[in-house]
Amino acid sequence: MTTTGIRSVGGALDRVDALEKVTGRARYAYENSPRELVYAFPVQATVAKGEIVHVGVDAVLKQPGVIAAIWHGNAPRLAPSDDDELAVLQSRRVAYRGQYIAVVVAETPEDAREAAGMLRVEYAAEDHDVDMRPDHPRMYRPDHVNPNFQSDTQRGDPDAALTTAPVVVDHTYSTPAEHNNPMEPHATVALWDGDGLTLFDSTQGASALRSVIAPLFGMPPAQVRVIAPYIGGGFGSKIEVHPHVVLAALAAKQVGRPVKLAVTRQQMFAITGYRTPTVQRVRLGAETDGRLIAVTHDAFEQTSILVEFAEPTAIVTRMMYAAPHRRTTHRLVRLNVPTPTWMRAPGEAPGMFALESAMDELAIACGVDPVELRVRNEPAKDPDTGLPFSSRNLVACLREGARRFGWAGRDPEPGARRVGRTLLGTGVAASTYPTYRAPSSARVRAEPDGRFTVSIAAADIGTGARTVLTQIAADALDAPAGLVHVEVGDSALPWAVLAGGSMGTGSWGTAVVRACEALVAELGRRGGDVPPGGVEAAADTSQEVRGQAEFARHAFGAQFAEVGVDADTGETRVHRLLGVFAAGRIINPKTARSQFVGGMTMGLSMALMEESVMDREFGDYLNHDFAQYHVAAHADVRDIEAFWLEEEDPHLNPMGSKGIGEIGTVGTAAAVANAVHHATGVRIRDLPIRLDKLVR
Amino acid sequence: MTISWDNPGTGGGREARVKGEANTNGDGAAPGPVTVDLRLSVNGRRHPITVDTRETLLDTLRERMDLTGTKKGCDHGQCGACTVLVGGRRVKSCLTLTVTVDDRDITTVEGLSADGVPHPLQAAFIENDALQCGYCTPGQLCSAVGMLAEVADGWPSAVTPGLDGEVDLSKLADEEIRERMSGNLCRCGAYPGIVAAIGQVAR
Amino acid sequence: MRPFAYERVSTARSAVAAAGEGTDAMYLGGGTNLVDLMRLGVVAPGTLVDVTRIAGGVEETPGGGLLIGAEVRNGDLAAHPLVRSRYPMLAEAVLSGASGQIRNMATVGGNLLQRTRCSYFQDVTKPCNKRDPGSGCPARAGDHRNLAIFGHSESCVATHPSDMAVALAALDAVVHVEGADGPRSVPMPGLHRLPGDRPDRDTVLGPGDLVTAVEVPPLPFAARSRYRKVRDRASFSFAVVSVAAALEVSGGVVRDCRIALGAVAHVPWRAEAAEAALRGAPATEERFGLAADAELARARPLPLNRFKVPLVRNVMIRVLADLVEVR
């Protein structure tokens, strides 16, 4: 074995799959074309609630190239599932507008789409309710919020404390529905071979997808193989199994040929999830110096008729700041709306918009600098659990960010800076994201020529997982990264947790390190000798992860924004965004920077433009394309910088790393909104910060 | 039935035309697809192919020619992932009917590198980590190639100071790159890397 | 998409003849809107007549104006030195529209004739009087944040989405049309029509009419003109409102002016009341505001687009004030 003595971790290795991606050779799900393939195009419900009474398949079957039209009247029966979204074509009931109710299979994509558009469906429509509002009579307290937090928490007597607190801030904030919109639309190619099913799918978790799909078709997971080496982004929307996957598998089974099914961009607004809209009341009671006495955070949000998805919006308020009296609550209402899902920093992103906007309002009310206000409310231990933090460097991030940004000497007076017709302002907000780790397994193989192959059913959705696992394995093997090949994205590889919760690197990395350690030990026993067939070792981290010591594990950060608001039009542009993060050891500064900056960019986009507009009359999201649902474009992203602190934390994982994929999106919108207030004197408590809210 | 003229020629009037007419089989069934035989020039090679008039260049490339480097991100001309070069100009292949470009030279991301050597922009994208999930990347690259050609031709942009001002490739500002590349969305947020990579090659 | 026949022509006459012979024929320019509408099922031509190979360019007319071929691509138009120097508002309008790729595809004729981006018009599962006459207009009670404040009717509150057309309306452009009965010309404003009870008709053109060119008359003071587009995203998005303006000032008095507004009506909205109020008036911000008020007196905003009233006022004042400063 080669001994390098050079550590890969910490080095700015180029993304190991970059050449495949820049040359177009990287093959994404829909780009697999088995022989004899046919094309499926789904049909969506055009009522938001009701029953299907007739489906005119006969006319469609006469269309050129059409092979099959499948609906609940002729679809194969699926085994029951606890996820009602996956009972695809199993019922007459329509739960939301845009739900898949049929699929047309044809020889060409043109024929499939044209014929699907001709399918006449008659409904017995019922009055729908798509109106999420805090006073909705059907608001209820869910049993828990995602993934498994208490819905409500209380310490002390916040109501009493708020009546006597010298300073009180009491405001309601709201965030709209937002769609993940990865650039690669969800797509599945389904291929049955005997009793086995192969799925080329754009998924954040090959192992998880397999275990969900197999039982629906009455199969053991081993009979399903999910292949997903390249995924064109997910941001949470490719975590859950959405109906199109089932539809593709079902259609392929019905027609006896491989089926390609691509969810269209417009369909994604109904089918593949989104972040729930939220309404959040935040009350802060403080001493005149800004020290918090009481905090309450009450969140209202929606879910669908089919699935209870409870966004954990207020959970950040449980651990963020010290206050003796605290309460957080979550209330949900089930509406005839598409099913919400995970979206980058689910809970934290909308929750911290509210909390960090309120903190800015408190700073102004107390006349305390917003950086200093946060420093004054720094807790010594996790206020929620009482556990010690494994590491918490929020204050250091605020200080370092303030220094780099040039915060010192900031005049807090709103609306006081103007260059030409542009009002300028600056704002700050804190970021945080929990550090999770989940069991996974991995295998490592040493070849006689000195190369190594690491195998794990991880997913690289653009995070750089392949690259950082290469570095982690190289160090664990004491080998140069160039000799290590990492294969991911295939359920035939050792099972692994999905890419979500910013826990990929921590979870997969632990498994890879343990497998490498086992291999090194095995090679040691063999005196370094690798036989012609190679040597393998594997690891499963279930025990290690479940047995880890109890700590409050979170990453922290601080984001500083400078905005310009056009005095005539209210157009707001972010001139500068600077984030400083403390997230354990940074494994690859190049890919990590891209993760932080990418997260901040999504936060900027959330702040200024993202909003899915519910069409109350028809019950669907109206602006279902990229011309109407704006995400940040090149011109919106001027100057974004991410920095990080050296943070040693021995309580995390063998790498000492914290997740970095989501924290960049947390707090950004508040930093921007706070800067807009500083620029204009107008407090926007309802995202996005669009010009119509500012023009006078 | 297929009617086709595979050599449209360059003369005047209706005599010079590619034409595809509807197929009818007289039994009352819906009219079938209209197909046209043509030779498509992609990445320097001419490919004989029969296309449905409804086929977009994007679908022809991806579904018929296995050139899957060109990506479908929205299919409505709103994201830029499908950007290719037609006659040296960047266009959206999702809004281009294949039948309309039989007489044009088409370049896709697969045609940017020559003899296995990455195009300077491809190398700069890797160096600057100008990509994450990689799905918008081929479109960004083709768009950048076309955009730099527009700059070289002296084309202004919406942020060019004074429309009579000189447009100079060697002084191409980041603001100019951002405005000119705004037709290519990137949800991962790789914009700063993309701008840096393009600036590095341009200047 | 419904299957369609395709025919490529190289002269306007043959295009009109081909359209006359084809079933449900439509002309195909850059396709940036038409192909999308076909995919969405909003339109379903039986024949596409591809007019992009008809020869045409940008030519000077004897009086110092420009004759712009309908097939000229938007990108070429905006880059043309004479467009940039004589009618900067036109170049700015085109450059502010869509993206580089779209501008390389879209033609001048197609840009003029593009359809509204009203969400309901583009969704065939919902009613829309423009798409399906008599079916209703959900936008009036639904989402109309981006829709009209001027000239709308009970049946339609859509806006025309073009930037270029706003500048052309301000410049009194003349549209050259080839029809079954031969060539004719249609002035702008006047090409586009208000919705009334026939919102399915965007323009005064009839079936088979082909736009062959746009003539921009000479207007020396347009050499100092401006197009200001307000939008929700810094680039690559439709206007929330826009203002095209040219101003001739001497001795502190407005001698002449041209003002048109975008994204406020079913047509590119020529601000005639504002122009009338300005001619002969002192070139001051106060008078610019009064001119804007004169125009906005005709506005009938809807609940979700009331903000467009102060927005138009502010932007009009700013554009005019900037034009005075430029001098």
Side-chain angles (χ1 to χ4, degrees):
Chain A
M1 203 168 76
T2 317
T3 299
T4 63
I6 297 167
R7 295 193 65 81
S8 286
V9 167
L13 185 66
D14 283 345
R15 200 171 285 271
V16 296
D17 48 11
L19 187 62
E20 270 61 42
K21 289 177 174 176
V22 300
T23 53
R25 289 202 301 265
R27 204 170 272 270
Y28 297 74
Y30 198 73
E31 295 157 7
N32 293 279
S33 296
R35 286 177 190 282
E36 300 296 313
L37 74 90
V38 292
Y39 293 86
F41 197 89
V43 178
Q44 297 179 278
T46 56
V47 300
K49 184 184 182 188
E51 285 206 345
I52 298 162
V53 296
H54 179 72
V55 179
V57 288
D58 294 347
V60 165
L61 290 171
K62 287 185 190 141
Q63 292 301 310
V66 171
I67 296 164
I70 310 170
W71 56 298
H72 76 263
N74 64 359
R77 293 298 100 188
L78 300 171
S81 158
D82 56 7
D83 182 347
D84 286 343
E85 271 282 9
L86 301 184
V88 181
L89 311 190
Q90 302 297 296
S91 149
R92 291 179 178 278
R93 290 297 305 170
V94 174
Y96 58 89
R97 198 176 204 268
Q99 188 177 6
Y100 283 164
I101 53 161
V103 63
V104 173
V105 183
E107 296 285 351
T108 71
E110 292 81 19
D111 285 340
R113 184 166 191 163
E114 174 67 4
M118 291 182 168
L119 188 70
R120 292 294 155 249
V121 181
E122 289 169 31
Y123 304 90
E126 299 162 27
D127 289 342
H128 61 253
D129 182 357
V130 294
D131 198 11
M132 200 289 280
R133 53 181 212 275
D135 60 349
H136 197 292
R138 285 191 287 108
M139 276 286 171
Y140 71 99
R141 181 167 66 89
D143 179 64
H144 65 275
V145 295
N146 295 323
N148 197 18
F149 292 103
Q150 287 178 279
S151 293
D152 296 358
T153 58
Q154 182 162 334
R155 299 279 188 285
D157 188 348
D159 291 324
L162 280 162
T163 58
T164 56
V167 183
V168 174
V169 164
D170 178 356
H171 291 295
T172 298
Y173 304 85
S174 56
T175 62
E178 297 155 352
H179 277 77
N180 310 56
N181 274 315
M183 291 311 299
E184 182 205 15
H186 300 62
T188 306
V189 179
L191 168 64
W192 290 87
D193 181 9
D195 290 335
L197 172 65
T198 300
L199 297 169
F200 298 92
D201 188 67
S202 188
T203 176
Q204 293 180 229
S207 300
L209 173 55
R210 177 173 81 158
S211 66
V212 170
I213 284 289
L216 290 174
F217 291 90
M219 297 185 291
Q223 273 171 250
V224 176
R225 182 168 176 201
V226 177
I227 302 174
Y230 293 99
I231 300 103
F235 314 109
S237 73
K238 294 171 180 172
I239 288 177
E240 298 293 338
V241 180
H242 299 294
H244 66 280
V245 185
V246 182
L247 197 61
L250 179 151
K253 195 177 177 75
Q254 183 95 329
V255 302
R257 290 170 68 179
V259 160
K260 286 178 101 166
L261 188 156
V263 182
T264 67
R265 179 62 58 184
Q266 293 195 344
Q267 290 172 359
M268 286 168 67
F269 283 77
I271 296 297
T272 58
Y274 62 97
R275 195 198 304 280
T276 176
T278 72
V279 174
Q280 306 172 54
R281 182 180 181 195
V282 177
R283 291 186 294 168
L284 305 177
E287 305 287 1
T288 51
D289 66 359
R291 274 180 300 120
L292 286 165
I293 302 164
V295 181
T296 71
H297 190 164
D298 302 303
F300 301 88
E301 47 209 41
Q302 74 186 29
T303 190
S304 72
I305 302 298
L306 297 178
V307 173
E308 180 182 272
F309 184 92
E311 178 101 355
T313 302
I315 60 166
V316 278
T317 298
R318 297 173 187 172
M319 49 64 67
M320 202 57 207
Y321 299 113
H325 303 280
R326 298 195 313 280
R327 182 173 66 231
T328 62
T329 68
H330 295 85
R331 295 293 178 270
L332 276 185
V333 59
R334 296 188 91 135
L335 299 172
N336 306 106
V337 295
T339 301
T341 197
W342 313 96
M343 180 167 167
R344 201 172 199 170
E348 290 83 2
M352 284 289 270
F353 165 66
L355 179 63
E356 291 297 288
S357 293
M359 287 295 279
D360 199 62
E361 303 206 52
L362 180 64
I364 292 165
C366 296
V368 176
D369 180 80
V371 169
E372 182 57 29
L373 178 79
R374 288 166 174 87
V375 173
R376 284 183 193 174
N377 285 291
E378 182 70 358
K381 57 184 183 177
D382 179 0
D384 186 37
T385 61
L387 291 169
F389 286 102
S390 66
S391 55
R392 176 172 168 133
N393 284 298
L394 172 59
V395 171
C397 290
L398 286 161
R399 299 269 192 239
E400 177 67 4
R403 185 186 71 77
R404 288 184 175 274
F405 188 78
W407 184 264
R410 172 185 184 261
D411 174 8
E413 183 66 25
R417 290 143 304 277
R418 187 173 184 137
V419 173
R421 303 296 302 174
T422 304
L423 303 168
L424 297 175
T426 54
V428 63
S431 304
T432 187
Y433 196 81
T435 304
Y436 297 121
R437 190 164 59 140
S440 288
S441 65
R443 186 175 64 230
V444 187
R445 179 181 181 80
E447 305 291 353
D449 63 1
R451 289 180 298 115
F452 299 90
T453 302
V454 177
S455 304
I456 180 165
D460 190 333
I461 60 172
T463 53
R466 260 192 196 88
T467 308
V468 297
L469 292 178
T470 300
Q471 294 172 276
I472 290 165
D475 283 2
L477 293 164
D478 200 14
L483 292 181
V484 177
H485 173 68
V486 173
E487 47 181 23
V488 299
D490 187 336
S491 67
L493 303 174
W495 65 270
V497 70
L498 48 75
S502 294
M503 63 183 162
T505 301
S507 306
W508 306 325
T510 302
V512 167
V513 166
R514 299 306 175 219
C516 289
E517 287 170 351
L519 182 70
V520 168
E522 176 62 23
L523 289 171
R525 277 192 289 278
R526 292 167 175 270
D529 179 46
V530 180
V535 179
E536 272 186 14
D540 179 326
T541 63
S542 300
Q543 263 193 318
E544 175 180 354
V545 171
R546 290 187 185 120
Q548 71 184 5
E550 283 205 73
F551 279 99
R553 296 178 173 88
H554 302 266
F556 292 89
Q559 296 195 38
F560 294 78
E562 179 189 319
V563 303
V565 180
D566 187 300
D568 298 306
T569 66
E571 289 166 295
T572 300
R573 309 290 183 234
V574 175
H575 293 176
R576 205 153 59 100
L577 196 57
L578 185 150
V580 176
F581 301 93
R585 178 170 297 150
I586 296 304
I587 293 173
N588 181 328
K590 187 176 254 189
T591 56
R593 178 167 282 109
S594 293
Q595 282 289 78
F596 287 128
V597 167
M600 293 164 73
T601 300
M602 196 173 279
L604 181 160
S605 193
M606 171 185 179
L608 296 188
M609 56 194 93
E610 293 191 37
E611 177 179 20
S612 303
V613 178
M614 173 53 68
D615 183 342
R616 290 170 71 174
E617 180 177 358
F618 296 98
D620 59 353
Y621 285 109
L622 188 68
N623 53 335
H624 55 184
D625 62 38
F626 274 143
Q628 301 178 86
Y629 185 96
H630 284 152
V631 301
H634 269 285
D636 297 290
V637 180
R638 299 185 185 184
D639 179 357
I640 298 195
E641 289 185 291
F643 302 93
W644 49 86
L645 307 176
E646 294 291 324
E647 186 176 69
E648 290 290 328
D649 185 335
H651 308 297
L652 302 172
N653 54 49
M655 295 75 63
S657 64
K658 293 177 177 176
I660 59 172
E662 296 171 82
I663 188 170
T665 306
V666 181
T668 323
V672 173
N674 297 342
V676 167
H677 178 267
H678 188 230
T680 63
V682 179
R683 174 67 60 179
I684 305 289
R685 300 190 182 92
D686 174 32
L687 292 182
I689 305 166
R690 269 198 329 237
L691 61 92
D692 42 296
K693 299 171 187 175
L694 288 163
V695 69
R696 294 290 153 89
Chain B
M1 185 174 69
T2 297
I3 299 173
S4 66
W5 281 253
D6 60 10
N7 180 5
T10 53
R14 294 184 66 196
E15 296 70 35
R17 65 197 194 191
V18 170
K19 184 170 177 175
E21 289 180 347
N23 299 319
T24 47
N25 51 20
D27 65 358
V34 181
T35 55
V36 176
D37 296 335
L38 31 93
R39 280 203 292 269
L40 211 55
S41 171
V42 182
N43 298 331
R45 288 187 51 202
R46 285 180 78 79
H47 304 259
I49 190 167
T50 301
V51 300
D52 187 323
T53 54
R54 295 172 294 176
E55 257 178 78
T56 60
L57 179 58
L58 176 60
D59 284 337
T60 302
L61 292 169
R62 284 169 63 83
E63 302 303 317
R64 307 284 307 283
M65 302 176 72
D66 201 34
L67 288 169
T68 56
T70 307
K71 303 303 184 191
K72 183 181 285 189
C74 74
D75 221 14
H76 293 287
Q78 300 162 350
C79 79
C82 69
T83 303
V84 299
L85 300 163
V86 171
R89 293 280 181 226
R90 52 180 174 157
V91 302
K92 305 221 168 174
S93 62
C94 75
L95 296 177
T96 303
L97 295 170
T98 307
V99 69
T100 66
V101 289
D102 62 305
D103 55 347
R104 300 287 163 94
D105 289 325
I106 298 154
T107 304
T108 70
V109 69
E110 291 93 343
L112 292 185
S113 54
D115 305 322
V117 179
H119 185 283
L121 277 166
Q122 290 173 318
F125 267 52
I126 296 174
E127 184 188 336
N128 290 279
D129 205 36
L131 64 146
Q132 295 191 57
C133 81
Y135 200 75
C136 76
T137 309
Q140 302 275 1
L141 284 160
C142 286
S143 187
V145 171
M147 181 274 279
L148 292 177
E150 291 162 12
V151 174
D153 287 346
W155 286 22
S157 84
V159 299
T160 305
L163 282 173
D164 284 339
E166 195 186 351
V167 177
D168 184 343
L169 198 59
S170 69
K171 293 177 192 148
L172 190 63
D174 284 352
E175 187 192 12
E176 283 275 1
I177 297 174
R178 286 193 288 264
E179 163 57 26
R180 291 167 186 265
M181 290 297 294
S182 281
N184 291 83
L185 302 180
C186 168
R187 191 60 161 153
C188 294
Y191 294 130
I194 295 168
V195 172
I198 294 172
Q200 187 177 312
V201 171
R203 303 188 282 258
Chain C
M1 281 184 214
R2 166 187 173 194
F4 58 84
Y6 171 82
E7 183 155 3
R8 184 184 298 160
V9 295
S10 53
T11 67
R13 282 310 313 156
S14 56
V16 172
E21 289 166 21
T23 346
D24 304 333
M26 294 183 78
Y27 297 117
L28 175 68
T32 55
N33 187 212
L34 179 57
V35 171
D36 194 34
L37 291 174
M38 290 166 67
R39 177 170 296 128
L40 293 168
V42 174
V43 294
T47 302
L48 280 188
V49 178
D50 183 344
V51 295
T52 57
R53 304 307 199 276
I54 296 174
V58 179
E59 297 165 21
E60 267 192 280
T61 57
L66 294 178
L67 184 69
I68 301 160
E71 310 319 323
V72 170
R73 309 285 174 167
N74 285 191
D76 292 311
L77 177 67
H80 198 283
L82 291 179
V83 175
R84 287 155 69 180
S85 59
R86 291 187 187 170
Y87 310 102
M89 69 153 82
L90 178 57
E92 287 176 359
V94 172
L95 289 172
S96 75
S99 67
Q101 293 96 312
I102 298 281
R103 293 194 293 271
N104 285 343
M105 302 173 73
T107 62
V108 167
N111 187 325
L112 280 178
L113 300 183
Q114 63 179 308
R115 312 296 307 272
T116 185
R117 296 313 198 280
C118 172
S119 315
Y120 299 98
F121 173 72
Q122 297 184 93
D123 185 344
V124 296
T125 70
K126 295 178 181 176
C128 168
N129 288 324
K130 181 180 282 298
R131 193 188 63 246
D132 182 9
S135 60
C137 174
R140 182 168 272 280
D143 187 51
H144 49 251
R145 185 235 180 208
N146 297 327
L147 302 181
I149 59 170
F150 288 112
H152 50 75
S153 68
E154 278 304 310
S155 18
C156 184
V157 295
T159 44
H160 194 265
S162 172
D163 293 300
M164 183 194 76
V166 180
L168 290 177
L171 293 168
D172 291 317
V174 175
V175 177
H176 294 226
V177 177
E178 183 80 24
D181 301 327
R184 68 182 198 280
S185 58
V186 180
M188 285 183 73
L191 173 70
H192 301 90
R193 54 185 297 286
L194 290 175
D197 56 3
R198 287 299 305 276
D200 54 312
R201 294 192 59 201
D202 289 357
T203 68
V204 298
L205 300 183
D209 280 346
L210 175 71
V211 173
T212 56
V214 176
E215 186 176 348
V216 189
L219 188 69
F221 72 85
R224 290 229 175 92
S225 62
R226 176 154 299 178
Y227 184 77
R228 171 72 162 98
K229 178 173 178 175
V230 178
R231 44 187 156 181
D232 289 323
R233 180 161 72 182
S235 185
F236 196 22
S237 62
F238 289 96
V240 176
V241 306
S242 66
V243 174
L247 200 58
E248 184 177 38
V249 177
S250 66
V253 172
V254 176
R255 303 296 168 188
D256 201 357
C257 61
R258 299 282 186 280
I259 306 171
L261 309 175
V264 292
H266 199 254
V267 299
W269 187 262
R270 183 68 176 267
E272 287 159 359
E275 289 181 9
L278 275 182
R279 287 195 186 96
T284 63
E285 290 204 17
E286 187 193 351
R287 296 306 287 262
F288 297 155
L290 290 174
D293 291 340
E295 193 62 43
L296 288 162
R298 303 153 75 187
R300 288 180 294 127
L302 299 162
L304 300 179
N305 66 16
R306 289 190 196 288
F307 73 94
K308 285 191 179 185
V309 172
L311 184 57
V312 166
R313 186 177 197 278
N314 294 351
V315 181
M316 208 190 283
I317 293 170
R318 186 53 36 211
V319 168
L320 294 170
D322 285 353
L323 284 171
V324 174
E325 273 176 33
V326 165
R327 274 153 207 274

